[in-house]
Short mmCIF file of all heavy atoms in Angstrom, two decimals:
data_model
loop_
_atom_site.label_atom_id
_atom_site.label_comp_id
_atom_site.label_asym_id
_atom_site.label_seq_id
_atom_site.Cartn_x
_atom_site.Cartn_y
_atom_site.Cartn_z
N MET A 1 31.31 91.10 151.41
CA MET A 1 30.82 91.41 152.87
C MET A 1 30.03 90.17 153.40
O MET A 1 29.36 89.48 152.62
CB MET A 1 29.89 92.62 152.84
CG MET A 1 30.66 94.03 152.68
SD MET A 1 29.50 95.33 153.12
CE MET A 1 28.54 95.27 151.62
N TYR A 2 30.16 89.92 154.61
CA TYR A 2 29.42 88.88 155.36
C TYR A 2 28.30 89.37 156.00
O TYR A 2 28.25 90.42 156.75
CB TYR A 2 30.45 88.12 156.27
CG TYR A 2 29.88 86.99 156.91
CD1 TYR A 2 29.56 85.81 156.30
CD2 TYR A 2 29.68 87.06 158.32
CE1 TYR A 2 29.09 84.88 156.98
CE2 TYR A 2 29.18 85.93 159.00
CZ TYR A 2 28.81 84.85 158.23
OH TYR A 2 28.29 83.79 158.98
N ALA A 3 27.15 88.72 155.77
CA ALA A 3 25.99 89.19 156.51
C ALA A 3 25.94 88.98 158.06
O ALA A 3 26.59 88.07 158.55
CB ALA A 3 24.71 88.49 155.86
N TYR A 4 25.18 89.87 158.77
CA TYR A 4 25.02 89.63 160.23
C TYR A 4 24.53 88.27 160.52
O TYR A 4 23.83 87.67 159.77
CB TYR A 4 23.94 90.67 160.63
CG TYR A 4 23.55 90.41 162.05
CD1 TYR A 4 24.23 90.75 163.08
CD2 TYR A 4 22.41 89.65 162.33
CE1 TYR A 4 23.77 90.57 164.39
CE2 TYR A 4 21.87 89.42 163.54
CZ TYR A 4 22.55 89.86 164.73
OH TYR A 4 22.19 89.43 165.93
N ASN A 5 24.96 87.67 161.66
CA ASN A 5 24.53 86.39 162.10
C ASN A 5 24.42 86.65 163.64
O ASN A 5 24.82 87.58 164.29
CB ASN A 5 25.43 85.24 161.69
CG ASN A 5 26.78 85.44 162.37
OD1 ASN A 5 26.78 85.46 163.66
ND2 ASN A 5 27.87 85.28 161.64
N SER A 6 23.59 85.61 164.12
CA SER A 6 23.37 85.64 165.63
C SER A 6 24.49 85.49 166.50
O SER A 6 24.30 85.54 167.78
CB SER A 6 22.23 84.71 165.92
OG SER A 6 22.64 83.33 165.55
N ASP A 7 25.64 84.96 165.99
CA ASP A 7 26.83 84.71 166.65
C ASP A 7 27.83 85.91 166.84
O ASP A 7 28.81 85.88 167.13
CB ASP A 7 27.57 83.53 166.10
CG ASP A 7 26.82 82.21 166.30
OD1 ASP A 7 26.00 82.09 167.20
OD2 ASP A 7 26.93 81.44 165.29
N MET A 8 27.17 87.10 166.67
CA MET A 8 28.01 88.24 166.71
C MET A 8 28.39 88.69 168.10
O MET A 8 27.43 88.45 168.92
CB MET A 8 27.30 89.53 165.94
CG MET A 8 28.24 90.73 165.85
SD MET A 8 27.22 92.03 165.12
CE MET A 8 26.78 91.40 163.60
N ARG A 9 29.49 89.13 168.39
CA ARG A 9 29.97 89.54 169.70
C ARG A 9 30.33 91.06 169.60
O ARG A 9 30.62 91.48 168.52
CB ARG A 9 31.22 88.77 170.22
CG ARG A 9 30.91 87.31 170.26
CD ARG A 9 30.11 86.87 171.39
NE ARG A 9 30.27 85.47 171.66
CZ ARG A 9 29.57 84.53 170.92
NH1 ARG A 9 28.78 84.87 169.96
NH2 ARG A 9 29.69 83.21 171.09
N PHE A 10 30.24 91.77 170.69
CA PHE A 10 30.38 93.16 170.72
C PHE A 10 31.42 93.60 171.59
O PHE A 10 31.57 93.00 172.81
CB PHE A 10 29.07 93.92 171.03
CG PHE A 10 27.95 93.44 170.12
CD1 PHE A 10 27.13 92.53 170.33
CD2 PHE A 10 27.81 94.29 168.86
CE1 PHE A 10 26.10 92.22 169.65
CE2 PHE A 10 26.70 94.02 168.09
CZ PHE A 10 25.93 92.86 168.37
N ASP A 11 32.29 94.55 171.29
CA ASP A 11 33.37 95.09 172.09
C ASP A 11 32.77 96.29 172.96
O ASP A 11 31.60 96.63 172.83
CB ASP A 11 34.55 95.48 171.46
CG ASP A 11 34.47 96.64 170.48
OD1 ASP A 11 33.57 97.34 170.58
OD2 ASP A 11 35.28 96.77 169.62
N SER A 12 33.63 96.80 173.74
CA SER A 12 33.06 97.81 174.77
C SER A 12 32.75 99.25 174.11
O SER A 12 32.20 100.04 174.65
CB SER A 12 34.11 98.06 175.79
OG SER A 12 35.37 98.47 175.39
N VAL A 13 33.18 99.29 172.82
CA VAL A 13 32.95 100.61 172.13
C VAL A 13 31.69 100.31 171.10
O VAL A 13 31.34 101.33 170.41
CB VAL A 13 34.03 101.12 171.47
CG1 VAL A 13 35.18 101.62 172.48
CG2 VAL A 13 34.65 100.38 170.41
N GLY A 14 31.11 99.24 171.07
CA GLY A 14 29.96 98.94 170.28
C GLY A 14 30.19 98.25 168.98
O GLY A 14 29.22 98.29 168.16
N LEU A 15 31.43 98.04 168.53
CA LEU A 15 31.67 97.32 167.25
C LEU A 15 31.27 95.88 167.48
O LEU A 15 31.48 95.30 168.37
CB LEU A 15 33.11 97.50 166.83
CG LEU A 15 33.66 98.91 166.45
CD1 LEU A 15 35.11 98.89 166.11
CD2 LEU A 15 32.79 99.43 165.47
N GLY A 16 30.71 95.32 166.33
CA GLY A 16 30.35 93.89 166.33
C GLY A 16 31.35 93.09 165.64
O GLY A 16 32.01 93.54 164.61
N TYR A 17 31.54 91.82 165.98
CA TYR A 17 32.49 90.98 165.37
C TYR A 17 31.84 89.63 165.25
O TYR A 17 31.02 89.14 166.06
CB TYR A 17 33.76 90.68 166.19
CG TYR A 17 34.56 91.92 166.38
CD1 TYR A 17 34.23 92.91 167.41
CD2 TYR A 17 35.44 92.41 165.35
CE1 TYR A 17 35.08 94.04 167.48
CE2 TYR A 17 36.10 93.61 165.46
CZ TYR A 17 35.81 94.39 166.49
OH TYR A 17 36.60 95.58 166.66
N SER A 18 32.11 88.89 164.12
CA SER A 18 31.64 87.58 163.76
C SER A 18 32.75 86.80 163.08
O SER A 18 33.79 87.44 162.63
CB SER A 18 30.43 87.62 162.87
OG SER A 18 30.74 88.14 161.65
N ALA A 19 32.71 85.51 163.07
CA ALA A 19 33.57 84.61 162.40
C ALA A 19 32.83 83.82 161.49
O ALA A 19 31.80 83.35 161.54
CB ALA A 19 34.34 83.80 163.39
N HIS A 20 33.61 83.66 160.28
CA HIS A 20 33.16 82.85 159.21
C HIS A 20 34.32 82.27 158.37
O HIS A 20 35.12 83.08 157.91
CB HIS A 20 32.15 83.64 158.29
CG HIS A 20 31.65 82.93 157.07
ND1 HIS A 20 30.71 81.97 157.24
CD2 HIS A 20 31.92 83.03 155.78
CE1 HIS A 20 30.47 81.37 156.10
NE2 HIS A 20 31.15 82.04 155.11
N ALA A 21 34.38 81.03 158.29
CA ALA A 21 35.40 80.26 157.43
C ALA A 21 36.81 80.72 157.93
O ALA A 21 37.78 81.00 157.13
CB ALA A 21 35.18 80.76 156.03
N GLY A 22 36.91 80.73 159.30
CA GLY A 22 38.15 81.04 159.98
C GLY A 22 38.76 82.60 159.81
O GLY A 22 39.81 82.78 160.10
N GLN A 23 37.80 83.49 159.38
CA GLN A 23 38.07 84.87 159.40
C GLN A 23 37.29 85.57 160.31
O GLN A 23 36.03 85.22 160.61
CB GLN A 23 37.89 85.40 157.93
CG GLN A 23 38.85 85.06 156.95
CD GLN A 23 38.66 85.86 155.66
OE1 GLN A 23 37.59 85.90 155.07
NE2 GLN A 23 39.69 86.50 155.23
N ILE A 24 37.77 86.71 160.70
CA ILE A 24 37.03 87.62 161.64
C ILE A 24 36.48 88.71 160.88
O ILE A 24 37.18 89.38 159.98
CB ILE A 24 37.91 88.23 162.70
CG1 ILE A 24 38.42 87.07 163.68
CG2 ILE A 24 37.21 89.26 163.68
CD1 ILE A 24 37.22 86.36 164.50
N PHE A 25 35.31 89.05 161.11
CA PHE A 25 34.60 90.22 160.29
C PHE A 25 34.23 91.25 161.46
O PHE A 25 33.70 91.01 162.42
CB PHE A 25 33.35 89.79 159.55
CG PHE A 25 33.65 88.87 158.45
CD1 PHE A 25 33.99 87.59 158.67
CD2 PHE A 25 33.70 89.35 157.06
CE1 PHE A 25 34.34 86.69 157.58
CE2 PHE A 25 34.02 88.49 156.14
CZ PHE A 25 34.28 87.25 156.22
N VAL A 26 34.31 92.56 161.00
CA VAL A 26 34.00 93.60 161.91
C VAL A 26 32.70 94.20 161.34
O VAL A 26 32.55 94.27 159.99
CB VAL A 26 34.99 94.69 162.03
CG1 VAL A 26 35.46 95.39 160.76
CG2 VAL A 26 34.56 95.81 163.08
N HIS A 27 31.60 94.57 162.06
CA HIS A 27 30.37 95.11 161.79
C HIS A 27 30.25 96.40 162.43
O HIS A 27 30.33 96.54 163.73
CB HIS A 27 29.27 94.17 162.21
CG HIS A 27 29.33 92.71 161.65
ND1 HIS A 27 28.59 92.39 160.59
CD2 HIS A 27 30.14 91.66 162.00
CE1 HIS A 27 28.95 91.02 160.37
NE2 HIS A 27 29.80 90.64 161.35
N TYR A 28 29.90 97.44 161.76
CA TYR A 28 29.77 98.74 162.27
C TYR A 28 28.27 99.03 162.55
O TYR A 28 27.45 98.75 161.71
CB TYR A 28 30.36 99.85 161.33
CG TYR A 28 31.84 99.64 161.13
CD1 TYR A 28 32.40 98.96 160.02
CD2 TYR A 28 32.60 100.25 162.11
CE1 TYR A 28 33.72 98.76 159.96
CE2 TYR A 28 34.01 100.18 161.97
CZ TYR A 28 34.57 99.31 160.79
OH TYR A 28 35.93 99.22 160.78
N PRO A 29 28.00 99.69 163.56
CA PRO A 29 26.49 100.11 163.86
C PRO A 29 26.16 101.19 163.06
O PRO A 29 26.76 102.26 162.64
CB PRO A 29 26.55 100.51 165.36
CG PRO A 29 27.97 100.94 165.66
CD PRO A 29 28.87 100.13 164.64
N ALA A 30 24.71 101.21 162.66
CA ALA A 30 24.08 102.25 162.02
C ALA A 30 22.96 102.73 162.79
O ALA A 30 22.04 101.79 163.20
CB ALA A 30 23.76 101.87 160.62
N ARG A 31 22.73 103.92 163.05
CA ARG A 31 21.51 104.39 163.91
C ARG A 31 20.29 104.41 162.96
O ARG A 31 20.31 105.06 161.98
CB ARG A 31 21.82 105.72 164.56
CG ARG A 31 20.69 106.15 165.55
CD ARG A 31 21.10 107.49 166.23
NE ARG A 31 22.18 107.34 166.92
CZ ARG A 31 22.22 106.99 168.29
NH1 ARG A 31 21.17 106.73 168.88
NH2 ARG A 31 23.33 106.84 168.96
N ARG A 32 19.26 103.81 163.47
CA ARG A 32 18.02 103.90 162.80
C ARG A 32 17.20 105.10 163.35
O ARG A 32 17.65 105.85 164.21
CB ARG A 32 17.07 102.65 163.14
CG ARG A 32 17.66 101.38 162.63
CD ARG A 32 16.81 100.24 163.17
NE ARG A 32 17.15 98.96 162.59
CZ ARG A 32 16.73 97.87 162.90
NH1 ARG A 32 16.02 97.72 164.01
NH2 ARG A 32 17.25 96.79 162.47
N PRO A 33 16.26 105.56 162.45
CA PRO A 33 15.48 106.84 162.91
C PRO A 33 14.94 106.74 164.32
O PRO A 33 14.64 107.80 164.86
CB PRO A 33 14.40 106.89 161.78
CG PRO A 33 14.96 106.21 160.63
CD PRO A 33 15.74 105.02 161.24
N ASP A 34 14.54 105.57 164.66
CA ASP A 34 13.87 105.44 166.08
C ASP A 34 15.07 105.33 167.20
O ASP A 34 14.64 105.21 168.39
CB ASP A 34 13.07 104.24 166.12
CG ASP A 34 13.89 102.83 166.02
OD1 ASP A 34 15.08 102.86 166.04
OD2 ASP A 34 13.14 101.72 165.98
N GLY A 35 16.32 105.57 166.84
CA GLY A 35 17.39 105.66 167.88
C GLY A 35 18.03 104.35 168.17
O GLY A 35 19.09 104.25 168.85
N THR A 36 17.43 103.28 167.65
CA THR A 36 18.13 101.96 167.84
C THR A 36 19.16 101.65 166.85
O THR A 36 19.40 102.46 165.95
CB THR A 36 17.05 100.74 167.70
OG1 THR A 36 16.60 100.79 166.33
CG2 THR A 36 16.07 100.82 168.58
N HIS A 37 20.12 100.71 166.94
CA HIS A 37 21.10 100.47 166.05
C HIS A 37 20.97 99.18 165.31
O HIS A 37 20.33 98.19 165.82
CB HIS A 37 22.49 100.26 166.86
CG HIS A 37 22.98 101.56 167.43
ND1 HIS A 37 22.56 102.06 168.64
CD2 HIS A 37 23.72 102.49 166.84
CE1 HIS A 37 23.11 103.15 168.86
NE2 HIS A 37 23.97 103.53 167.82
N ARG A 38 21.44 99.24 164.13
CA ARG A 38 21.37 98.09 163.20
C ARG A 38 22.87 97.61 162.79
O ARG A 38 23.61 98.57 162.57
CB ARG A 38 20.59 98.26 162.03
CG ARG A 38 20.50 97.31 161.03
CD ARG A 38 19.83 97.67 159.66
NE ARG A 38 19.90 96.69 158.71
CZ ARG A 38 21.02 96.33 157.86
NH1 ARG A 38 22.07 97.04 158.08
NH2 ARG A 38 20.95 95.40 157.08
N TYR A 39 23.19 96.46 162.86
CA TYR A 39 24.52 96.00 162.26
C TYR A 39 24.35 95.26 160.94
O TYR A 39 23.49 94.37 160.89
CB TYR A 39 25.14 95.12 163.31
CG TYR A 39 25.61 95.94 164.53
CD1 TYR A 39 24.61 96.17 165.53
CD2 TYR A 39 26.88 96.26 164.73
CE1 TYR A 39 25.09 96.77 166.70
CE2 TYR A 39 27.27 96.90 165.84
CZ TYR A 39 26.34 97.26 166.87
OH TYR A 39 26.69 97.92 167.92
N GLY A 40 24.91 95.86 159.98
CA GLY A 40 24.87 95.26 158.60
C GLY A 40 25.95 94.17 158.32
O GLY A 40 26.56 93.61 159.26
N GLY A 41 26.28 94.18 157.03
CA GLY A 41 27.33 93.22 156.58
C GLY A 41 28.64 93.56 157.22
O GLY A 41 28.93 94.74 157.55
N GLY A 42 29.54 92.51 157.40
CA GLY A 42 30.74 92.81 157.92
C GLY A 42 31.90 92.86 156.95
O GLY A 42 31.78 92.40 155.91
N PHE A 43 33.14 93.40 157.37
CA PHE A 43 34.27 93.41 156.58
C PHE A 43 35.42 92.59 157.23
O PHE A 43 35.64 92.82 158.44
CB PHE A 43 34.64 94.92 156.47
CG PHE A 43 33.70 95.87 155.89
CD1 PHE A 43 32.67 96.46 156.68
CD2 PHE A 43 33.70 96.00 154.50
CE1 PHE A 43 31.85 97.29 156.00
CE2 PHE A 43 32.68 96.77 153.83
CZ PHE A 43 31.70 97.50 154.72
N PRO A 44 36.11 91.81 156.46
CA PRO A 44 37.13 91.03 157.04
C PRO A 44 38.33 91.83 157.60
O PRO A 44 38.70 92.87 156.93
CB PRO A 44 37.67 90.07 155.89
CG PRO A 44 37.15 90.81 154.58
CD PRO A 44 36.03 91.66 155.08
N ILE A 45 38.81 91.55 158.73
CA ILE A 45 39.83 92.36 159.29
C ILE A 45 41.27 91.91 158.91
O ILE A 45 42.31 92.61 159.12
CB ILE A 45 39.71 92.49 160.83
CG1 ILE A 45 40.01 91.13 161.60
CG2 ILE A 45 38.45 93.10 161.27
CD1 ILE A 45 40.21 91.27 162.96
N GLY A 46 41.30 90.71 158.37
CA GLY A 46 42.57 90.23 158.02
C GLY A 46 43.29 89.47 159.16
O GLY A 46 42.85 89.22 160.20
N PRO A 47 44.58 88.93 158.94
CA PRO A 47 45.20 88.30 159.99
C PRO A 47 45.45 89.10 161.30
O PRO A 47 45.72 90.33 161.17
CB PRO A 47 46.65 87.96 159.36
CG PRO A 47 46.42 88.21 157.89
CD PRO A 47 45.29 89.23 157.68
N ILE A 48 45.51 88.44 162.30
CA ILE A 48 45.63 89.14 163.62
C ILE A 48 47.04 89.11 163.91
O ILE A 48 47.67 88.06 163.94
CB ILE A 48 44.91 88.48 164.73
CG1 ILE A 48 43.37 88.36 164.45
CG2 ILE A 48 45.11 89.12 166.08
CD1 ILE A 48 42.55 87.52 165.29
N PRO A 49 47.76 90.28 164.05
CA PRO A 49 49.22 90.27 164.36
C PRO A 49 49.47 89.54 165.68
O PRO A 49 48.70 89.75 166.63
CB PRO A 49 49.57 91.68 164.50
CG PRO A 49 48.51 92.49 163.67
CD PRO A 49 47.23 91.74 163.82
N GLU A 50 50.49 88.71 165.63
CA GLU A 50 50.81 87.85 166.94
C GLU A 50 51.25 88.82 168.13
O GLU A 50 50.83 88.47 169.14
CB GLU A 50 52.03 86.95 166.61
CG GLU A 50 52.19 85.97 167.71
CD GLU A 50 51.07 85.13 167.93
OE1 GLU A 50 50.12 84.77 167.09
OE2 GLU A 50 50.73 84.82 169.20
N ARG A 51 51.74 89.87 167.79
CA ARG A 51 52.13 91.01 168.86
C ARG A 51 50.74 91.32 169.65
O ARG A 51 50.99 91.81 170.69
CB ARG A 51 52.92 92.02 168.41
CG ARG A 51 52.21 93.01 167.51
CD ARG A 51 53.16 94.25 167.10
NE ARG A 51 52.42 95.20 166.26
CZ ARG A 51 52.03 95.14 165.11
NH1 ARG A 51 52.29 93.99 164.46
NH2 ARG A 51 51.37 96.11 164.48
N TYR A 52 49.66 91.40 169.04
CA TYR A 52 48.47 91.66 169.72
C TYR A 52 48.14 90.79 170.79
O TYR A 52 47.45 91.10 171.77
CB TYR A 52 47.28 91.85 168.69
CG TYR A 52 47.22 93.00 167.74
CD1 TYR A 52 48.28 93.88 167.68
CD2 TYR A 52 46.04 93.25 167.09
CE1 TYR A 52 48.26 95.01 166.88
CE2 TYR A 52 45.98 94.39 166.27
CZ TYR A 52 47.00 95.27 166.26
OH TYR A 52 46.97 96.36 165.36
N ARG A 53 48.53 89.49 170.55
CA ARG A 53 48.34 88.46 171.66
C ARG A 53 49.36 88.61 172.70
O ARG A 53 49.08 88.36 173.97
CB ARG A 53 48.45 87.00 171.09
CG ARG A 53 47.21 86.82 170.17
CD ARG A 53 47.13 85.32 169.78
NE ARG A 53 45.91 84.90 169.17
CZ ARG A 53 45.63 85.15 167.91
NH1 ARG A 53 46.60 85.72 167.02
NH2 ARG A 53 44.42 84.82 167.33
N THR A 54 50.61 88.86 172.35
CA THR A 54 51.75 88.89 173.29
C THR A 54 51.96 90.26 173.97
O THR A 54 52.32 90.26 175.17
CB THR A 54 53.03 88.37 172.74
OG1 THR A 54 53.35 89.34 171.62
CG2 THR A 54 52.98 87.04 172.19
N ALA A 55 51.66 91.23 173.30
CA ALA A 55 51.85 92.66 173.83
C ALA A 55 50.98 93.68 173.13
O ALA A 55 51.38 94.44 172.37
CB ALA A 55 53.37 93.12 173.57
N PRO A 56 49.54 93.53 173.46
CA PRO A 56 48.69 94.47 172.81
C PRO A 56 49.06 95.87 173.17
O PRO A 56 49.47 96.19 174.17
CB PRO A 56 47.34 93.99 173.47
CG PRO A 56 47.64 93.14 174.73
CD PRO A 56 48.99 92.66 174.43
N PRO A 57 48.73 96.73 172.17
CA PRO A 57 49.17 98.10 172.31
C PRO A 57 48.34 98.91 173.25
O PRO A 57 48.76 99.97 173.89
CB PRO A 57 49.10 98.79 170.88
CG PRO A 57 48.16 97.92 170.13
CD PRO A 57 48.34 96.53 170.79
N ASN A 58 47.07 98.33 173.60
CA ASN A 58 46.15 98.99 174.59
C ASN A 58 45.15 98.09 175.04
O ASN A 58 44.98 97.02 174.57
CB ASN A 58 45.58 100.38 173.96
CG ASN A 58 44.83 99.92 172.57
OD1 ASN A 58 44.22 98.98 172.43
ND2 ASN A 58 45.22 100.81 171.54
N GLN A 59 44.36 98.55 175.94
CA GLN A 59 43.28 97.74 176.56
C GLN A 59 42.26 97.22 175.56
O GLN A 59 41.69 96.03 175.56
CB GLN A 59 42.67 98.24 177.73
CG GLN A 59 41.61 97.54 178.53
CD GLN A 59 42.36 96.19 179.02
OE1 GLN A 59 43.52 96.20 179.44
NE2 GLN A 59 41.63 95.11 179.01
N ILE A 60 41.71 98.19 174.64
CA ILE A 60 40.86 97.66 173.67
C ILE A 60 41.22 96.60 172.82
O ILE A 60 40.50 95.68 172.42
CB ILE A 60 40.14 98.90 172.97
CG1 ILE A 60 38.84 98.54 172.17
CG2 ILE A 60 41.22 99.55 172.08
CD1 ILE A 60 37.82 98.10 173.01
N THR A 61 42.57 96.70 172.47
CA THR A 61 43.02 95.71 171.50
C THR A 61 43.24 94.36 172.25
O THR A 61 42.72 93.29 171.70
CB THR A 61 44.41 95.98 171.09
OG1 THR A 61 44.40 97.26 170.32
CG2 THR A 61 45.09 94.97 170.15
N ALA A 62 43.56 94.41 173.62
CA ALA A 62 43.48 93.12 174.34
C ALA A 62 42.13 92.53 174.37
O ALA A 62 41.89 91.36 174.24
CB ALA A 62 44.09 93.42 175.74
N GLU A 63 41.16 93.37 174.59
CA GLU A 63 39.77 92.99 174.70
C GLU A 63 39.34 92.33 173.42
O GLU A 63 38.65 91.46 173.39
CB GLU A 63 38.84 94.25 175.10
CG GLU A 63 37.33 93.80 175.08
CD GLU A 63 36.59 95.10 175.02
OE1 GLU A 63 37.02 96.13 175.60
OE2 GLU A 63 35.45 95.08 174.68
N ARG A 64 39.71 93.05 172.35
CA ARG A 64 39.21 92.50 171.08
C ARG A 64 39.91 91.14 170.66
O ARG A 64 39.27 90.17 170.10
CB ARG A 64 39.56 93.53 169.96
CG ARG A 64 38.57 94.69 170.03
CD ARG A 64 39.00 95.80 169.09
NE ARG A 64 38.00 96.83 169.21
CZ ARG A 64 38.29 98.08 168.67
NH1 ARG A 64 39.39 98.39 168.21
NH2 ARG A 64 37.32 99.00 168.85
N VAL A 65 41.18 90.88 170.97
CA VAL A 65 41.82 89.71 170.73
C VAL A 65 41.16 88.63 171.49
O VAL A 65 41.00 87.55 170.92
CB VAL A 65 43.39 89.72 171.01
CG1 VAL A 65 44.07 88.42 171.10
CG2 VAL A 65 44.05 90.83 170.05
N ALA A 66 40.78 88.87 172.74
CA ALA A 66 40.12 87.74 173.47
C ALA A 66 38.76 87.41 172.87
O ALA A 66 38.41 86.21 172.73
CB ALA A 66 39.89 88.18 174.90
N LEU A 67 38.12 88.36 172.31
CA LEU A 67 36.82 88.23 171.61
C LEU A 67 37.03 87.46 170.33
O LEU A 67 36.23 86.53 170.14
CB LEU A 67 36.25 89.58 171.44
CG LEU A 67 34.83 89.67 171.10
CD1 LEU A 67 34.01 90.84 171.64
CD2 LEU A 67 34.68 89.82 169.47
N TRP A 68 38.02 87.87 169.62
CA TRP A 68 38.31 87.20 168.34
C TRP A 68 38.59 85.70 168.60
O TRP A 68 38.20 84.96 167.82
CB TRP A 68 39.37 87.93 167.67
CG TRP A 68 39.16 89.26 167.27
CD1 TRP A 68 37.87 89.97 167.00
CD2 TRP A 68 40.04 90.36 167.03
NE1 TRP A 68 37.97 91.26 166.70
CE2 TRP A 68 39.47 91.54 166.68
CE3 TRP A 68 41.49 90.41 166.95
CZ2 TRP A 68 39.93 92.86 166.36
CZ3 TRP A 68 42.00 91.55 166.87
CH2 TRP A 68 41.44 92.78 166.38
N ASP A 69 39.54 85.41 169.50
CA ASP A 69 39.90 84.02 169.80
C ASP A 69 38.74 83.25 170.09
O ASP A 69 38.60 82.04 169.79
CB ASP A 69 40.97 83.97 170.84
CG ASP A 69 42.29 84.46 170.33
OD1 ASP A 69 42.50 84.53 169.13
OD2 ASP A 69 43.23 84.79 171.09
N GLU A 70 37.89 83.78 170.94
CA GLU A 70 36.54 83.18 171.44
C GLU A 70 35.81 82.82 170.16
O GLU A 70 35.32 81.60 169.98
CB GLU A 70 35.79 84.01 172.32
CG GLU A 70 34.44 83.40 172.70
CD GLU A 70 33.64 84.39 173.64
OE1 GLU A 70 34.32 85.06 174.54
OE2 GLU A 70 32.41 84.57 173.22
N LEU A 71 35.62 83.70 169.23
CA LEU A 71 34.86 83.51 168.02
C LEU A 71 35.43 82.39 167.08
O LEU A 71 34.81 81.65 166.60
CB LEU A 71 34.66 84.77 167.16
CG LEU A 71 33.65 85.80 167.82
CD1 LEU A 71 33.86 87.14 167.03
CD2 LEU A 71 32.26 85.31 167.57
N LEU A 72 36.76 82.37 166.99
CA LEU A 72 37.46 81.49 166.18
C LEU A 72 37.56 80.03 166.77
O LEU A 72 37.46 79.15 166.02
CB LEU A 72 38.88 81.86 165.94
CG LEU A 72 39.04 83.18 165.03
CD1 LEU A 72 40.49 83.68 164.92
CD2 LEU A 72 38.57 82.92 163.61
N ALA A 73 37.36 79.97 168.05
CA ALA A 73 37.28 78.60 168.72
C ALA A 73 35.87 77.88 168.59
O ALA A 73 35.87 76.83 168.82
CB ALA A 73 37.63 78.90 170.20
N GLU A 74 34.86 78.68 168.28
CA GLU A 74 33.47 78.13 168.12
C GLU A 74 33.39 77.26 166.97
O GLU A 74 33.97 77.36 165.94
CB GLU A 74 32.50 79.22 168.19
CG GLU A 74 32.40 79.92 169.46
CD GLU A 74 31.43 81.02 169.52
OE1 GLU A 74 30.81 81.46 168.39
OE2 GLU A 74 31.17 81.66 170.61
#
């Protein structure tokens, strides 16, 4: 797992994403007792299917691909 970093980006449903060594990691939120959220270590999502760039199956996938590409370009 990859630890949280300040370069994390969030999609419209609240999942966090970061990039490390050319890979994208997804971070899931955990609710704290005070109602705030914490994002812990991330899990690698693996290769991004090319069809997600050319014909994403839905709007959230298109949003995520743009976010992933942004992270990978940094």
Side-chain angles (χ1 to χ4, degrees):
M1 287 191 289
Y2 181 67
Y4 166 81
N5 67 55
S6 61
D7 295 325
M8 189 180 300
R9 303 288 191 280
F10 302 92
D11 66 17
S12 60
V13 298
L15 295 179
Y17 295 93
S18 65
H20 178 70
Q23 288 189 305
I24 296 293
F25 292 78
V26 60
H27 302 259
Y28 296 94
R31 186 177 298 270
R32 294 178 173 165
D34 67 1
T36 62
H37 288 90
R38 176 190 176 282
Y39 289 81
F43 299 92
I45 65 167
I48 301 166
E50 191 56 38
R51 71 181 185 282
Y52 283 12
R53 289 187 171 87
T54 58
N58 53 47
Q59 186 60 38
I60 190 66
T61 301
E63 174 190 340
R64 289 173 178 163
V65 168
L67 189 144
W68 299 336
D69 286 343
E70 178 184 314
L71 284 166
L72 290 171
E74 294 179 350

